[in-house]
Amino acid sequence: ADLTDGKSIVMFSYGSGSLATMYKFQVRTPIYNTKFTCQSMSENMMLTERLESREEVHPRELDMALDTRARMHQAGAPYTPIYPTVGRLFPGTYYLNGIDS
């Protein structure tokens, strides 16, 4: 990633389905000694590697996920979702594995 002074970075955070956030910030050289820099954030979060590891999926998969989510909200308890496939989630992702009585 090009994190040279003066560059603009657009950040986008996927929401829960009803809300997302997008904002922009500019890379600047710190005016005093700090560990909080764009470069250190990128390295500590392994940002480039995480972005490159994303998996492209067909839009039908999103449709299936949204349909499953809608069924979940109407199903009540007990309920066990059939999506997402756990093996395809980023390590450390929280997900619903079931609703008991």
Side-chain angles (χ1 to χ4, degrees):
D2 185 3
L3 299 174
T4 54
D5 201 33
K7 287 287 187 175
S8 292
I9 299 173
V10 174
M11 301 292 288
F12 181 79
S13 172
Y14 297 94
S16 63
S18 62
L19 181 67
T21 305
M22 183 182 292
Y23 54 95
K24 177 183 102 168
F25 64 96
Q26 231 176 2
V27 178
R28 295 190 306 180
T29 303
I31 56 175
Y32 41 84
N33 192 14
T34 180
K35 293 181 180 181
F36 186 74
T37 65
C38 291
Q39 186 67 40
S40 67
M41 286 190 303
S42 176
E43 290 169 1
N44 289 325
M45 293 171 48
M46 299 185 322
L47 192 54
T48 301
E49 293 86 356
R50 290 175 67 183
L51 290 172
E52 288 173 351
S53 72
R54 292 179 297 173
E55 180 181 354
E56 185 175 335
V57 296
H58 195 277
R60 275 184 249 145
E61 286 195 55
L62 176 60
D63 291 341
M64 182 180 129
L66 294 174
D67 288 343
T68 300
R69 185 176 184 163
R71 283 194 308 275
M72 179 183 69
H73 287 291
Q74 298 167 356
Y79 178 76
T80 304
I82 57 171
Y83 192 87
T85 304
V86 177
R88 293 176 66 187
L89 296 176
F90 189 77
T93 298
Y94 290 93
Y95 61 94
L96 178 71
N97 63 7
I99 301 171
D100 59 18
S101 55

